[in-house]
Amino acid sequence: MKLVRQSLSSPYFTSLATVALLVVMFALGSFAYTGFFSLQVVLNLLIDNAFLLVIAIGMTFVILSGGIDLSVGSVLALTTMISAYLLQSWHWPPLLVIACVLLIGSAFGALMGALIHFFKLQAFIVTLAGMFLARGLCYLISINSITIDQPLYVTLSQARIGIFGAFVSPSVVIAMLMLALAIYIAHYTRFGRAVYAIGGNEQSALLMGLAVGRTKVMVYAFSGFCAALAGVLFSFYMLSGYGLHAQGTELDAIAAVVIGGTLLTGGYGYVAGTLTGVLILGLIQTLIAFDGTLSSWWTKIVIGVLLFVFCMAQRLMSLGAAGSASATPATTPAAAAA
């Protein structure tokens, strides 16, 4: 029991469990299906989920700070609509369009962060309102899908970058660069340490003199930026803007973050773990596709079961840590008396 308690209270428990699950799932798929064990299958997971990885990176920072952001899927859709409209109707230069939508996404997130902090509103309610607002703005632009045929977007959509006989898309390169930047920000900057401190205990962070308000606004601004960047990558992937794009993506992002080992209560987690969570979600879809006999709805069922399991693991980890902490004061006086 002591070994189990120590394992559950280990800060690496959920992260190691996630990596182990990914390895086991890939091994089972390799034994069960011909052609599954290949580098291209792994890279296809990244190609198909590059936008989800970027959006989950922003969600990781929000959850680490003790918040939640339900607007990211709608911001992604709004980004595709604005991009398509500016490219096809106004014929703006593509780089200017990308800069514009990234700025809009960041400002949208910063506004929600300011409302949450300065008006002491619940993040769930504010970002829920943001979700409806962004999705509604999509239909003010157009109720129909807008096809993107701008040459740069088409080129980036069709481009392939060779890796050891396999290939990835430019979106994967952008997503991995974003992941590396996020890891550096989270673990090697003052801002990252402030995010962890606020998620652990906001009142303690205030007493420590941390800029809680500024940090929370920046966290949601970063989440909005990531959602907009994911929208740009999704535009490359789909070559269209549509108000129905990315419905439910915010829930997939939350699932990837939790499965990746970040605590929903905030204050603990690794940005790199989010990559593992995204790969697991993609691997579930790939296994179902290789099987060929199962409905795509089994993806949601399996993800739901995994979420329950990882939430229970997080709870057991918290109880294990609490048990270890309570045992320490009890043994110290006895040892001193001896």
Side-chain angles (χ1 to χ4, degrees), residues 3 24 46 49 73 103-104 107 120 129 149 151 230 248 250 266 271 276 282 288 290 293 297 300 314 321:
L3 180 61
V24 169
L46 294 172
N49 296 283
L103 182 61
I104 291 173
K120 308 302 178 184
D149 58 11
E250 59 277 348
V271 178
T276 311
I288 291 174
F290 264 81
T293 62
W297 286 107
K300 302 297 183 183
Q314 290 184 2

Side-chain angles (χ1 to χ4, degrees), residues 5 8-9 314-329:
R5 180 181 297 174
L8 291 175
S9 61
Q314 290 184 2
R315 180 58 178 164
L316 291 174
M317 187 175 71
S318 300
L319 292 175
S324 299
S326 63
T328 303

